[in-house]
Amino acid sequence: MILERAKFIHKFVQSPREIGSITPSSRFLAHAMLKEISWNQAKTIVELGAGTGVFTREIAKKVSSSTQTFIFEQDDDLRTDIETQMPQFTYLKKAEELQDTLRRFHISHVDAIISGLPFSNFSQSFTQEILDQVQSSLAENGSFITYQYSLQLRKELKNRFKHVQIDFVPWNLPPTFVYICSN
């Protein structure tokens, strides 16, 4: 755990706009992010921006062995580390290639997309590109779950999704808003 935090801080110092936080997500945030997913019914799960694998490890505990799980992480070192720990999932680099990846695996829609992407660090056009792909990749009853350190995404997500629930997680550093979105 200490080694993981040290590596995360090092990565943040190298690329703060890509990493987005100085410390990995807490177990409290992981619980808030994953609590609404119907794990026994999920056939396909996607994680965008896996970082050090805090959510990935929790997904591994909850997901059935028949669920296709795709983990996207831009940073090669972080992606290699979590792939070594949890080789049962499919690992990819670029979240902006979500739809191409799903087509390549002959998947039309996914049940849940969990995102740790730092949208506030992205350009408006890149954020739109990712959210367009998320929206068109979700199954009819699918969920998009993301967290941010502000309410900056609230209006955008409410314009895109019929239902947007916002939870606050005070026991994360920094305290965090979790957006649970569905149609």
Side-chain angles (χ1 to χ4, degrees):
M1 188 65 138
I2 292 173
L3 196 57
E4 180 180 295
R5 284 184 191 276
K7 185 171 201 165
F8 197 88
I9 291 168
H10 175 73
K11 291 290 181 181
F12 175 79
V13 169
Q14 285 182 321
S15 304
R17 292 188 62 77
E18 288 180 18
I19 300 299
S21 175
I22 197 160
T23 184
S25 301
S26 69
R27 62 186 166 94
F28 303 105
L29 179 55
H31 173 75
M33 291 282 290
L34 303 177
K35 70 180 181 180
E36 299 291 328
I37 297 172
S38 299
W39 294 100
N40 57 345
Q41 297 173 5
K43 292 181 176 81
T44 308
I45 300 283
V46 170
E47 181 183 8
L48 304 176
T52 58
V54 171
F55 301 150
T56 316
R57 280 187 287 283
E58 293 304 312
I59 291 168
K61 292 176 189 175
K62 296 174 182 305
V63 75
S64 90
S65 60
S66 64
T67 302
Q68 287 188 283
T69 306
F70 297 90
I71 310 296
F72 289 80
E73 174 48 53
Q74 179 81 21
D75 186 277
D76 294 330
D77 293 333
L78 295 176
R79 189 179 59 257
T80 299
D81 285 351
I82 56 176
E83 186 172 8
T84 301
Q85 295 170 37
M86 291 160 283
Q88 70 270 35
F89 300 144
T90 302
Y91 290 86
L92 303 125
K93 184 169 182 154
K94 297 184 176 188
E96 64 271 25
E97 295 176 359
L98 173 61
Q99 287 187 309
D100 290 339
T101 299
L102 295 176
R103 276 193 289 277
R104 199 167 69 237
F105 284 89
H106 308 288
I107 296 169
S108 59
H109 292 92
V110 301
D111 299 299
I113 299 175
I114 299 120
S115 173
L117 295 175
F119 287 107
S120 62
N121 291 348
F122 297 159
S123 69
Q124 182 65 23
S125 62
F126 189 68
T127 295
Q128 295 296 321
E129 179 183 351
I130 297 290
L131 292 176
D132 287 347
Q133 290 197 43
V134 163
Q135 206 170 4
S136 60
S137 299
L138 280 178
E140 189 175 321
N141 295 320
S143 296
F144 172 57
I145 305 161
T146 189
Y147 73 92
Q148 300 292 293
Y149 302 120
S150 73
L151 293 171
Q152 177 181 342
L153 266 186
R154 178 176 48 190
K155 183 177 179 184
E156 176 69 33
L157 294 176
K158 286 188 176 208
N159 287 336
R160 288 178 174 271
F161 294 95
K162 191 182 288 184
H163 305 285
V164 177
Q165 173 186 325
I166 302 172
D167 292 345
F168 182 65
V169 181
W171 304 113
N172 191 68
L173 187 61
T176 306
F177 295 96
V178 174
Y179 298 85
I180 302 164
C181 310
S182 62
N183 283 324

mmCIF file of all heavy atoms in Angstrom, residues 101-127:
data_model
loop_
_atom_site.group_PDB
_atom_site.id
_atom_site.type_symbol
_atom_site.label_atom_id
_atom_site.label_comp_id
_atom_site.label_asym_id
_atom_site.label_seq_id
_atom_site.Cartn_x
_atom_site.Cartn_y
_atom_site.Cartn_z
ATOM 1 N N THR A 101 -12.724 -0.505 -29.458
ATOM 2 C CA THR A 101 -12.403 -1.713 -28.690
ATOM 3 C C THR A 101 -13.615 -2.629 -28.590
ATOM 4 O O THR A 101 -13.510 -3.842 -28.832
ATOM 5 C CB THR A 101 -11.909 -1.337 -27.281
ATOM 6 O OG1 THR A 101 -10.730 -0.539 -27.406
ATOM 7 C CG2 THR A 101 -11.623 -2.574 -26.450
ATOM 8 N N LEU A 102 -14.756 -2.066 -28.256
ATOM 9 C CA LEU A 102 -15.966 -2.886 -28.128
ATOM 10 C C LEU A 102 -16.325 -3.534 -29.458
ATOM 11 O O LEU A 102 -16.690 -4.718 -29.503
ATOM 12 C CB LEU A 102 -17.123 -2.043 -27.597
ATOM 13 C CG LEU A 102 -16.936 -1.508 -26.171
ATOM 14 C CD1 LEU A 102 -18.097 -0.601 -25.782
ATOM 15 C CD2 LEU A 102 -16.769 -2.638 -25.172
ATOM 16 N N ARG A 103 -16.204 -2.791 -30.554
ATOM 17 C CA ARG A 103 -16.466 -3.370 -31.893
ATOM 18 C C ARG A 103 -15.507 -4.519 -32.182
ATOM 19 O O ARG A 103 -15.901 -5.555 -32.708
ATOM 20 C CB ARG A 103 -16.354 -2.295 -32.979
ATOM 21 C CG ARG A 103 -17.625 -1.496 -33.171
ATOM 22 C CD ARG A 103 -17.573 -0.672 -34.448
ATOM 23 N NE ARG A 103 -16.648 0.448 -34.371
ATOM 24 C CZ ARG A 103 -16.934 1.628 -33.826
ATOM 25 N NH1 ARG A 103 -18.127 1.866 -33.330
ATOM 26 N NH2 ARG A 103 -16.027 2.586 -33.801
ATOM 27 N N ARG A 104 -14.241 -4.326 -31.831
ATOM 28 C CA ARG A 104 -13.230 -5.355 -32.073
ATOM 29 C C ARG A 104 -13.571 -6.654 -31.326
ATOM 30 O O ARG A 104 -13.269 -7.748 -31.798
ATOM 31 C CB ARG A 104 -11.862 -4.821 -31.649
ATOM 32 C CG ARG A 104 -10.714 -5.575 -32.241
ATOM 33 C CD ARG A 104 -9.371 -4.882 -32.077
ATOM 34 N NE ARG A 104 -8.929 -4.854 -30.697
ATOM 35 C CZ ARG A 104 -8.634 -3.754 -30.015
ATOM 36 N NH1 ARG A 104 -8.742 -2.574 -30.562
ATOM 37 N NH2 ARG A 104 -8.229 -3.825 -28.768
ATOM 38 N N PHE A 105 -14.207 -6.520 -30.170
ATOM 39 C CA PHE A 105 -14.591 -7.690 -29.375
ATOM 40 C C PHE A 105 -16.048 -8.101 -29.617
ATOM 41 O O PHE A 105 -16.585 -8.935 -28.890
ATOM 42 C CB PHE A 105 -14.348 -7.419 -27.885
ATOM 43 C CG PHE A 105 -12.906 -7.493 -27.492
ATOM 44 C CD1 PHE A 105 -12.092 -6.369 -27.561
ATOM 45 C CD2 PHE A 105 -12.347 -8.694 -27.076
ATOM 46 C CE1 PHE A 105 -10.758 -6.437 -27.205
ATOM 47 C CE2 PHE A 105 -11.021 -8.776 -26.714
ATOM 48 C CZ PHE A 105 -10.206 -7.635 -26.784
ATOM 49 N N HIS A 106 -16.676 -7.501 -30.629
ATOM 50 C CA HIS A 106 -18.067 -7.816 -31.017
ATOM 51 C C HIS A 106 -19.055 -7.594 -29.871
ATOM 52 O O HIS A 106 -19.948 -8.403 -29.636
ATOM 53 C CB HIS A 106 -18.171 -9.255 -31.547
ATOM 54 C CG HIS A 106 -17.173 -9.545 -32.631
ATOM 55 N ND1 HIS A 106 -17.291 -9.014 -33.897
ATOM 56 C CD2 HIS A 106 -16.029 -10.270 -32.628
ATOM 57 C CE1 HIS A 106 -16.273 -9.420 -34.627
ATOM 58 N NE2 HIS A 106 -15.479 -10.174 -33.888
ATOM 59 N N ILE A 107 -18.872 -6.484 -29.176
ATOM 60 C CA ILE A 107 -19.765 -6.122 -28.070
ATOM 61 C C ILE A 107 -20.524 -4.864 -28.485
ATOM 62 O O ILE A 107 -19.914 -3.845 -28.837
ATOM 63 C CB ILE A 107 -18.962 -5.870 -26.781
ATOM 64 C CG1 ILE A 107 -18.281 -7.168 -26.352
ATOM 65 C CG2 ILE A 107 -19.845 -5.318 -25.676
ATOM 66 C CD1 ILE A 107 -17.260 -7.006 -25.273
ATOM 67 N N SER A 108 -21.842 -4.938 -28.446
ATOM 68 C CA SER A 108 -22.629 -3.782 -28.865
ATOM 69 C C SER A 108 -22.825 -2.781 -27.722
ATOM 70 O O SER A 108 -22.824 -1.571 -27.954
ATOM 71 C CB SER A 108 -23.978 -4.228 -29.417
ATOM 72 O OG SER A 108 -24.691 -4.945 -28.437
ATOM 73 N N HIS A 109 -23.030 -3.271 -26.513
ATOM 74 C CA HIS A 109 -23.268 -2.380 -25.373
ATOM 75 C C HIS A 109 -22.720 -2.993 -24.092
ATOM 76 O O HIS A 109 -22.591 -4.213 -23.994
ATOM 77 C CB HIS A 109 -24.769 -2.119 -25.208
ATOM 78 C CG HIS A 109 -25.330 -1.310 -26.328
ATOM 79 N ND1 HIS A 109 -25.879 -1.873 -27.445
ATOM 80 C CD2 HIS A 109 -25.412 0.021 -26.509
ATOM 81 C CE1 HIS A 109 -26.274 -0.929 -28.275
ATOM 82 N NE2 HIS A 109 -26.003 0.239 -27.728
ATOM 83 N N VAL A 110 -22.449 -2.134 -23.110
ATOM 84 C CA VAL A 110 -21.924 -2.590 -21.822
ATOM 85 C C VAL A 110 -22.897 -2.235 -20.699
ATOM 86 O O VAL A 110 -23.689 -1.306 -20.822
ATOM 87 C CB VAL A 110 -20.525 -2.013 -21.531
ATOM 88 C CG1 VAL A 110 -19.539 -2.417 -22.607
ATOM 89 C CG2 VAL A 110 -20.550 -0.511 -21.395
ATOM 90 N N ASP A 111 -22.824 -2.983 -19.621
ATOM 91 C CA ASP A 111 -23.744 -2.796 -18.499
ATOM 92 C C ASP A 111 -23.322 -1.672 -17.560
ATOM 93 O O ASP A 111 -24.176 -1.016 -16.961
ATOM 94 C CB ASP A 111 -23.874 -4.110 -17.722
ATOM 95 C CG ASP A 111 -24.437 -5.195 -18.606
ATOM 96 O OD1 ASP A 111 -25.569 -5.028 -19.089
ATOM 97 O OD2 ASP A 111 -23.732 -6.200 -18.858
ATOM 98 N N ALA A 112 -22.022 -1.463 -17.418
ATOM 99 C CA ALA A 112 -21.553 -0.393 -16.530
ATOM 100 C C ALA A 112 -20.192 0.107 -16.997
ATOM 101 O O ALA A 112 -19.348 -0.682 -17.434
ATOM 102 C CB ALA A 112 -21.463 -0.879 -15.092
ATOM 103 N N ILE A 113 -20.031 1.417 -16.900
ATOM 104 C CA ILE A 113 -18.736 2.050 -17.159
ATOM 105 C C ILE A 113 -18.378 2.829 -15.901
ATOM 106 O O ILE A 113 -19.112 3.715 -15.474
ATOM 107 C CB ILE A 113 -18.782 2.987 -18.380
ATOM 108 C CG1 ILE A 113 -19.152 2.182 -19.635
ATOM 109 C CG2 ILE A 113 -17.438 3.703 -18.552
ATOM 110 C CD1 ILE A 113 -19.348 3.024 -20.887
ATOM 111 N N ILE A 114 -17.252 2.451 -15.305
ATOM 112 C CA ILE A 114 -16.749 3.085 -14.092
ATOM 113 C C ILE A 114 -15.567 3.944 -14.512
ATOM 114 O O ILE A 114 -14.651 3.442 -15.159
ATOM 115 C CB ILE A 114 -16.309 2.021 -13.065
ATOM 116 C CG1 ILE A 114 -17.505 1.147 -12.672
ATOM 117 C CG2 ILE A 114 -15.686 2.656 -11.840
ATOM 118 C CD1 ILE A 114 -17.311 -0.294 -12.971
ATOM 119 N N SER A 115 -15.591 5.216 -14.151
ATOM 120 C CA SER A 115 -14.539 6.104 -14.639
ATOM 121 C C SER A 115 -13.802 6.805 -13.510
ATOM 122 O O SER A 115 -14.413 7.399 -12.626
ATOM 123 C CB SER A 115 -15.140 7.160 -15.573
ATOM 124 O OG SER A 115 -14.166 8.119 -15.919
ATOM 125 N N GLY A 116 -12.490 6.740 -13.599
ATOM 126 C CA GLY A 116 -11.624 7.513 -12.723
ATOM 127 C C GLY A 116 -10.903 8.595 -13.508
ATOM 128 O O GLY A 116 -9.894 9.119 -13.055
ATOM 129 N N LEU A 117 -11.411 8.921 -14.692
ATOM 130 C CA LEU A 117 -10.759 9.923 -15.535
ATOM 131 C C LEU A 117 -10.902 11.323 -14.924
ATOM 132 O O LEU A 117 -11.987 11.693 -14.485
ATOM 133 C CB LEU A 117 -11.371 9.916 -16.938
ATOM 134 C CG LEU A 117 -11.162 8.645 -17.751
ATOM 135 C CD1 LEU A 117 -11.932 8.732 -19.059
ATOM 136 C CD2 LEU A 117 -9.688 8.389 -18.009
ATOM 137 N N PRO A 118 -9.826 12.109 -14.953
ATOM 138 C CA PRO A 118 -9.873 13.477 -14.406
ATOM 139 C C PRO A 118 -10.433 14.470 -15.434
ATOM 140 O O PRO A 118 -9.695 15.256 -16.026
ATOM 141 C CB PRO A 118 -8.404 13.762 -14.073
ATOM 142 C CG PRO A 118 -7.639 12.963 -15.094
ATOM 143 C CD PRO A 118 -8.469 11.723 -15.346
ATOM 144 N N PHE A 119 -11.746 14.431 -15.645
ATOM 145 C CA PHE A 119 -12.368 15.258 -16.682
ATOM 146 C C PHE A 119 -12.039 16.743 -16.541
ATOM 147 O O PHE A 119 -11.935 17.448 -17.544
ATOM 148 C CB PHE A 119 -13.888 15.062 -16.690
ATOM 149 C CG PHE A 119 -14.319 13.740 -17.251
ATOM 150 C CD1 PHE A 119 -14.794 12.736 -16.416
ATOM 151 C CD2 PHE A 119 -14.245 13.488 -18.601
ATOM 152 C CE1 PHE A 119 -15.194 11.518 -16.923
ATOM 153 C CE2 PHE A 119 -14.643 12.265 -19.130
ATOM 154 C CZ PHE A 119 -15.114 11.275 -18.288
ATOM 155 N N SER A 120 -11.888 17.231 -15.331
ATOM 156 C CA SER A 120 -11.600 18.661 -15.144
ATOM 157 C C SER A 120 -10.234 19.046 -15.709
ATOM 158 O O SER A 120 -9.981 20.221 -15.950
ATOM 159 C CB SER A 120 -11.701 19.049 -13.671
ATOM 160 O OG SER A 120 -10.743 18.342 -12.922
ATOM 161 N N ASN A 121 -9.375 18.076 -15.955
ATOM 162 C CA ASN A 121 -8.064 18.347 -16.541
ATOM 163 C C ASN A 121 -8.073 18.257 -18.061
ATOM 164 O O ASN A 121 -7.064 18.530 -18.700
ATOM 165 C CB ASN A 121 -7.020 17.366 -16.001
ATOM 166 C CG ASN A 121 -6.712 17.595 -14.544
ATOM 167 O OD1 ASN A 121 -7.101 18.602 -13.973
ATOM 168 N ND2 ASN A 121 -6.037 16.653 -13.933
ATOM 169 N N PHE A 122 -9.187 17.812 -18.643
ATOM 170 C CA PHE A 122 -9.258 17.606 -20.090
ATOM 171 C C PHE A 122 -9.831 18.832 -20.784
ATOM 172 O O PHE A 122 -10.593 19.601 -20.197
ATOM 173 C CB PHE A 122 -10.152 16.415 -20.416
ATOM 174 C CG PHE A 122 -9.673 15.087 -19.899
ATOM 175 C CD1 PHE A 122 -10.565 14.041 -19.755
ATOM 176 C CD2 PHE A 122 -8.352 14.863 -19.545
ATOM 177 C CE1 PHE A 122 -10.154 12.803 -19.286
ATOM 178 C CE2 PHE A 122 -7.925 13.635 -19.072
ATOM 179 C CZ PHE A 122 -8.825 12.596 -18.949
ATOM 180 N N SER A 123 -9.528 18.950 -22.066
ATOM 181 C CA SER A 123 -10.164 19.987 -22.871
ATOM 182 C C SER A 123 -11.646 19.653 -22.999
ATOM 183 O O SER A 123 -12.049 18.491 -22.852
ATOM 184 C CB SER A 123 -9.530 20.045 -24.265
ATOM 185 O OG SER A 123 -9.864 18.867 -25.000
ATOM 186 N N GLN A 124 -12.450 20.647 -23.290
ATOM 187 C CA GLN A 124 -13.887 20.434 -23.474
ATOM 188 C C GLN A 124 -14.138 19.443 -24.601
ATOM 189 O O GLN A 124 -14.991 18.571 -24.490
ATOM 190 C CB GLN A 124 -14.582 21.781 -23.756
ATOM 191 C CG GLN A 124 -16.080 21.680 -23.915
ATOM 192 C CD GLN A 124 -16.787 21.250 -22.633
ATOM 193 O OE1 GLN A 124 -16.271 21.409 -21.543
ATOM 194 N NE2 GLN A 124 -17.968 20.682 -22.776
ATOM 195 N N SER A 125 -13.378 19.543 -25.687
ATOM 196 C CA SER A 125 -13.604 18.648 -26.832
ATOM 197 C C SER A 125 -13.247 17.197 -26.482
ATOM 198 O O SER A 125 -13.952 16.269 -26.892
ATOM 199 C CB SER A 125 -12.823 19.120 -28.060
ATOM 200 O OG SER A 125 -11.437 19.110 -27.814
ATOM 201 N N PHE A 126 -12.173 16.992 -25.698
ATOM 202 C CA PHE A 126 -11.806 15.628 -25.321
ATOM 203 C C PHE A 126 -12.835 15.042 -24.349
ATOM 204 O O PHE A 126 -13.226 13.879 -24.466
ATOM 205 C CB PHE A 126 -10.402 15.600 -24.711
ATOM 206 C CG PHE A 126 -9.872 14.213 -24.496
ATOM 207 C CD1 PHE A 126 -9.559 13.397 -25.561
ATOM 208 C CD2 PHE A 126 -9.699 13.713 -23.214
ATOM 209 C CE1 PHE A 126 -9.070 12.106 -25.368
ATOM 210 C CE2 PHE A 126 -9.214 12.438 -23.004
ATOM 211 C CZ PHE A 126 -8.899 11.626 -24.091
ATOM 212 N N THR A 127 -13.301 15.857 -23.411
ATOM 213 C CA THR A 127 -14.354 15.419 -22.489
ATOM 214 C C THR A 127 -15.592 15.006 -23.282
ATOM 215 O O THR A 127 -16.179 13.953 -23.023
ATOM 216 C CB THR A 127 -14.704 16.539 -21.482
ATOM 217 O OG1 THR A 127 -13.561 16.778 -20.660
ATOM 218 C CG2 THR A 127 -15.882 16.162 -20.606
#
